[in-house]
Amino acid sequence: MVITVLVLGLLFSSLDTTAAIGTCLGLNANNLPSYQQMVAQYKQYNIQNLRTYNYLGGLCQPLAGSNIGVMVGVANPDLPGIAQSQNTANAWVQNNIINCPNVNFKYIAVGNEIRPNYNNGASKYSQYVGPALWNIHNALNQRGLGNIKVSTAWEMGMLSNSNPPSAGQLDPQLSSYYTPIIQFLQQTNSPLLLNCYPYFSYKYSDQISLPYALFTSPGTVVQDGQYGYQNLFDAMMDAFYSALEKVGAGSINIVVSESGWPTAGDKGTSIDNARTYNNNLIQHVKKGTPKRPGNIETYIFDMYDENSKSPALVQNWGLFYSNGAPKYPVNFN
C-alpha cells in the first residue's frame, strides 16, 4: 500500500474545497483495502465526502476526527421495521450514529432507488419510505442531532417526461408515493438525493451522442427556451428541477448522490471514457446547470471496483481498482 499511495499521489490531485465532490464507497469486493487504508486514501487526495450504503461498522474508528463528510444509508430491507416503530428508529440512530462518535455525519439516505413501479426488487419498500424518514428525523432530533439531514435517493425513472428539460415532470402515477416525501423534505429543509447517470441514458438510446454524454460536445445540442444544453448531465438535472417546480417544490436542493461512468462491460465503456466523464463532471459541478448555477454537491460512483458483483458492467465503476490501485488519473483541482 505504500507504493500505491505514492503512485496515487502523482495521479490524483487535491480536491477543490468548493466543489463538494465525494465518492460512493461500495464494498462488494473480496480484495479491498482495509478500512484504515480506505480512509487514508480519502485523506491523501482530499476527497472530502463519502457515501456508504449501510452502517459504517469498521469505518467508524478510522473516520472519527477525520472531518470527512459522511452520507450513511439505511438499507432498504431495514425500512419496514423503522417505519413501523419509533423505538426501532431510535435504536438505529443509537447503533449507527451515536455509537460512531466524532464522525462528521451530513446525511442519512433512507433507502436507495425505491420506486413503486421499478422492477429492481425495491418497490416492495415504497410504502415505508415516508414514515421511515420521519422516524429517523425524530430520532435524531431527540438526540440533539437535527443538523444531520435525512433524505432518500431517487433515480431518473421518477420522471414521466424529461425532454426537453423544461418539460420535466414527476410521474403522476407515483404521486401518492412522492408527495409525502416532498412534503417531508420541504418541512425539514432537506435536499433530495438523486442518482443521475448520463451513462445509462446513452446506453439505452441511439439518439444520444457520446460527446453529449461525456461533456465534450463542441456546442449546444439542445436549445430549450433561454437555456442551451451542451451536455446531458445538465439536461437531466434541469429536467428534475423543472419537475419539482411543477409540484411546488422548486426550493428543494438536489444533491447528486451517484454519478459516474464504467470502464468495462457494455456499450461505451472504457477507461478513457470514464476518465473523460469523471474529470469533466468534477469541473462542471462547480458551475451548476443553466437553470441552477452554483456548486452541486456530487458523489462519484464508485471509489473502488466491486468484483463480487455481476455482470461485468456493475463491477467496473471504480476510480480505483478493488485492491486500491489507481485506474486512471483524476484531477480534483
Side-chain angles (χ1 to χ4, degrees):
M1 282 304 298
V2 173
I3 293 174
T4 299
V5 168
L6 289 173
V7 173
L8 282 168
L10 297 175
L11 290 179
F12 282 70
S13 303
S14 295
L15 179 70
D16 183 334
T17 58
T18 64
I21 294 290
T23 63
C24 301
L25 185 57
L27 299 174
N28 291 305
N30 59 17
N31 60 339
L32 289 168
S34 70
Y35 293 136
Q36 289 78 12
Q37 290 167 333
M38 291 178 187
V39 174
Q41 286 188 315
Y42 275 83
K43 293 177 180 178
Q44 178 75 21
Y45 311 112
N46 203 19
I47 302 173
Q48 296 190 347
N49 294 315
L50 176 158
R51 179 187 180 188
T52 186
Y53 294 87
N54 210 326
Y55 58 89
L56 292 185
L59 282 165
C60 283
Q61 185 174 354
L63 280 171
S66 69
N67 207 37
I68 293 170
V70 175
M71 178 190 301
V72 63
V74 178
N76 293 348
D78 292 339
L79 264 60
I82 289 171
Q84 296 175 79
S85 169
Q86 185 63 58
N87 287 338
T88 301
N90 294 347
W92 191 96
V93 167
Q94 177 66 47
N95 293 333
N96 297 286
I97 305 296
I98 304 298
N99 290 352
C100 288
N102 301 316
V103 172
N104 181 24
F105 289 105
K106 296 178 68 177
Y107 307 109
I108 298 176
V110 177
N112 186 57
E113 296 192 346
I114 296 172
R115 172 161 52 91
N117 61 353
Y118 191 12
N119 187 26
N120 66 343
S123 61
K124 60 187 175 183
Y125 301 115
S126 58
Q127 64 181 305
Y128 302 111
V129 176
L133 287 168
W134 277 112
N135 283 351
I136 291 292
H137 172 76
N138 292 337
L140 291 170
N141 279 348
Q142 290 172 16
R143 303 304 294 266
L145 296 172
N147 58 304
I148 302 173
K149 294 299 182 181
V150 182
S151 188
T152 190
W154 285 352
E155 34 72 46
M156 293 298 297
M158 290 293 298
L159 301 186
S160 59
N161 191 15
S162 61
N163 187 34
S166 61
Q169 181 179 13
L170 288 165
D171 188 343
Q173 297 183 30
L174 303 177
S175 62
S176 64
Y177 169 64
Y178 66 67
T179 298
I181 294 172
I182 287 174
Q183 290 173 345
F184 169 85
L185 298 178
Q186 290 175 314
Q187 291 175 36
T188 61
N189 193 29
S190 298
L192 174 66
L193 308 177
L194 180 64
N195 298 345
C196 182
Y197 284 103
Y199 171 75
F200 287 114
S201 296
Y202 164 75
K203 168 178 158 58
Y204 291 116
S205 174
D206 294 330
Q207 306 301 313
I208 295 173
S209 72
L210 186 60
Y212 187 52
L214 293 177
F215 298 94
T216 57
S217 293
T220 298
V221 176
V222 173
Q223 187 68 43
D224 184 16
Q226 63 180 309
Y227 301 126
Y229 291 89
Q230 198 168 338
N231 66 82
L232 181 56
F233 177 86
D234 279 353
M236 294 170 71
M237 289 291 293
D238 279 358
F240 228 101
Y241 278 123
S242 295
L244 291 174
E245 288 174 355
K246 289 182 175 67
V247 294
S251 63
I252 292 177
N253 186 41
I254 293 177
V255 170
V256 176
S257 44
E258 292 180 15
S259 192
W261 198 280
T263 55
D266 213 314
K267 172 186 173 182
T269 61
S270 70
I271 286 179
D272 188 57
N273 285 347
R275 176 189 57 80
T276 299
Y277 179 83
N278 284 322
N279 277 288
N280 286 338
L281 176 70
I282 290 167
Q283 300 307 316
H284 188 78
V285 296
K286 299 174 185 177
K287 299 179 291 185
T289 72
K291 188 177 183 69
R292 295 288 180 91
N295 292 331
I296 305 170
E297 185 172 349
T298 300
Y299 293 75
I300 296 175
F301 187 89
D302 201 353
M303 184 69 169
Y304 303 105
D305 281 350
E306 297 186 77
N307 63 6
S308 296
K309 290 182 173 181
S310 63
L313 177 63
V314 299
Q315 295 178 358
N316 295 289
W317 291 78
L319 300 175
F320 300 85
Y321 292 104
S322 56
N323 64 2
K327 191 183 291 187
Y328 51 81
V330 177
N331 179 15
F332 282 113
N333 285 327

